[in-house]
Amino acid sequence: MALGATLAVPAFAQQQDDKRDYVDLSYSFLTGQQFQLKQESRSETYTTVDDVMQRVTRDFNNTIAIEVTETSDGHATLTFRYKELKFNFNARNQNILVDAAVPNEKEPFQAALKSIIDQPFSVDISSSGYINKVMGLDDLLDKASATFSNLKTDEQAAYKKLMKDQFGTNAFHTWLEQLLVIYPVRSIKTGTRWEENVPIRTGLVGDISLYWNLQTWDAQTAKINGTGKITTNKVETFTTDDGIEATAEISGDIMTNYLIDRTSGFPSIASQNTEMNGTYTYKANKAKRIKSDVKVPVRIVTNASYKIKRMK
């Protein structure tokens, strides 16, 4: 018996050491907690039509307040409010530069964005990071679209599409899925790799395969490297920024570095780079003077940085 007990001690100690190698990561909130999210990003889309390159750029500089309004077993409801919203959209026939806090009677988009400042909408998120639902955002955009009522019909349609594409529920859902890590339900250790597959919910039609790798961790933080593979459905149609019906055969990569605050699960810092390349096929359209289907090379590059800090 004594010998058996002596042999069991090293085995037990080894089990304890193994347990210390593993960590559980998840989102954990308390009702009433408040966070601030700052976003800076720039996206550039390059297309080549008749040997002429065209560029569309989108710049975002936003501050969002996040409050934990409800918690229950396995998920939480987070209330989001835009506090600062700066948006620059530059295309061949359109240049929109908007700071929601600065009046600009010449730019209809300014009044629309101003109307959503400090207005609440909610996100239901699981403890693993799945976005179950985005609630109330499209209602805010519908009300904001009333500011376009004095424009011509085609101008109203263009502004409403732009607002939905950039700020609508599907756009926000996709953006948040790429910003936040979806954690595995099991314990993991340094070097563990896991993955999830999510749809592209706005604009292009396709899927994103997301991969994460735990690099290092301690009691307060975790460093995670994220990558992603984007693949579009080449037969499904979508509408370009110029209002042209098209299909897209595009693939791309996402690279993200996260510093995770283990207390909440939010990334306190995240930097993300995305590049996609491929071909649009513009569909024949008499109104757009496209006599037959046209193959258009395309390249999309996005660079973004995020900071989330606890405010209360």
Side-chain angles (χ1 to χ4, degrees):
M1 294 296 292
L3 179 58
T6 301
L7 291 175
V9 171
F12 177 75
Q14 181 64 47
Q15 289 175 357
Q16 293 300 101
D17 287 341
D18 287 345
K19 286 182 179 180
R20 285 195 290 267
D21 290 338
Y22 285 81
V23 62
D24 293 311
L25 298 176
S26 65
Y27 292 92
S28 179
F29 304 113
L30 296 174
T31 301
Q33 285 182 328
Q34 296 178 5
F35 300 85
Q36 182 189 78
L37 186 160
K38 284 188 173 290
Q39 171 197 9
E40 292 182 4
S41 67
R42 180 178 181 84
S43 178
E44 299 177 318
T45 301
Y46 299 89
T47 54
T48 303
V49 182
D50 296 331
D51 295 325
V52 177
M53 179 177 287
Q54 301 171 2
R55 184 178 72 165
V56 175
T57 62
R58 299 172 181 82
D59 294 277
F60 295 89
N61 193 327
N62 305 326
T63 301
I64 301 175
I66 305 171
E67 182 176 0
V68 183
T69 48
E70 183 182 341
T71 58
S72 59
D73 187 29
H75 73 102
T77 301
L78 310 179
T79 296
F80 287 70
R81 288 179 172 86
Y82 283 102
K83 292 295 185 179
E84 295 178 327
L85 214 170
K86 299 176 183 178
F87 175 60
N88 184 15
F89 177 84
N90 196 312
R92 181 179 55 178
N93 298 319
Q94 198 172 25
N95 184 19
I96 299 172
L97 177 59
V98 171
D99 180 343
V102 179
N104 183 354
E105 295 180 358
K106 296 181 179 180
E107 178 48 66
F109 213 65
Q110 191 277 335
L113 293 188
K114 182 181 178 181
S115 71
I116 68 174
I117 289 292
D118 213 29
Q119 297 300 308
F121 60 96
S122 300
V123 172
D124 185 285
I125 182 173
S126 76
S127 57
S128 294
Y130 291 104
I131 309 301
N132 297 320
K133 198 172 185 181
V134 178
M135 300 162 285
L137 183 53
D138 279 344
D139 290 339
L140 292 182
L141 297 191
D142 287 342
K143 293 177 182 177
S145 295
T147 61
F148 305 141
S149 59
N150 293 329
L151 301 178
K152 296 178 181 178
T153 302
D154 58 339
E155 292 177 334
Q156 288 187 44
Y159 271 104
K160 287 179 180 179
K161 179 184 183 304
L162 180 61
M163 175 162 276
K164 183 177 181 181
D165 287 350
Q166 306 306 317
F167 300 101
T169 292
N170 288 336
F172 189 85
H173 194 151
T174 292
W175 169 75
L176 200 59
E177 279 181 327
Q178 294 180 47
L179 167 60
L180 301 181
V181 176
I182 301 175
Y183 295 116
V185 295
R186 67 188 188 280
S187 299
I188 59 175
K189 63 179 180 178
T190 299
T192 297
R193 185 174 185 263
W194 67 100
E195 65 183 80
E196 291 287 344
N197 188 269
V198 298
I200 302 173
R201 301 177 190 276
T202 185
L204 300 174
V205 180
D207 296 285
I208 307 173
S209 297
L210 297 169
Y211 308 89
W212 298 276
N213 181 279
L214 178 60
Q215 296 181 310
T216 61
W217 62 276
D218 56 32
Q220 287 80 39
T221 64
K223 289 185 178 180
I224 293 176
N225 173 255
T227 58
K229 292 288 185 181
I230 303 168
T231 306
T232 62
N233 184 321
K234 62 183 180 181
V235 298
E236 294 288 341
T237 60
F238 73 103
T239 304
T240 70
D241 295 314
D242 292 326
I244 298 171
E245 289 293 311
T247 59
E249 189 171 359
I250 292 175
S251 61
D253 297 284
I254 304 172
M255 295 185 63
T256 312
N257 289 307
Y258 304 91
L259 178 63
I260 302 298
D261 177 358
R262 287 192 57 200
T263 303
S264 65
F266 274 147
S268 55
I269 299 173
S271 60
Q272 190 171 79
N273 308 101
T274 303
E275 181 166 346
M276 298 186 288
N277 291 276
T279 304
Y280 287 161
T281 299
Y282 288 175
K283 295 300 180 180
N285 187 324
K286 291 182 179 180
K288 297 293 183 180
R289 297 180 180 178
I290 302 174
K291 296 180 180 179
S292 59
D293 291 0
V294 179
K295 297 284 187 181
V296 177
V298 60
R299 176 171 175 256
I300 304 169
V301 180
T302 303
N303 296 296
S305 62
Y306 306 94
K307 295 181 180 179
I308 301 178
K309 66 178 179 178
R310 170 87 177 272
M311 304 298 288
K312 180 181 177 181

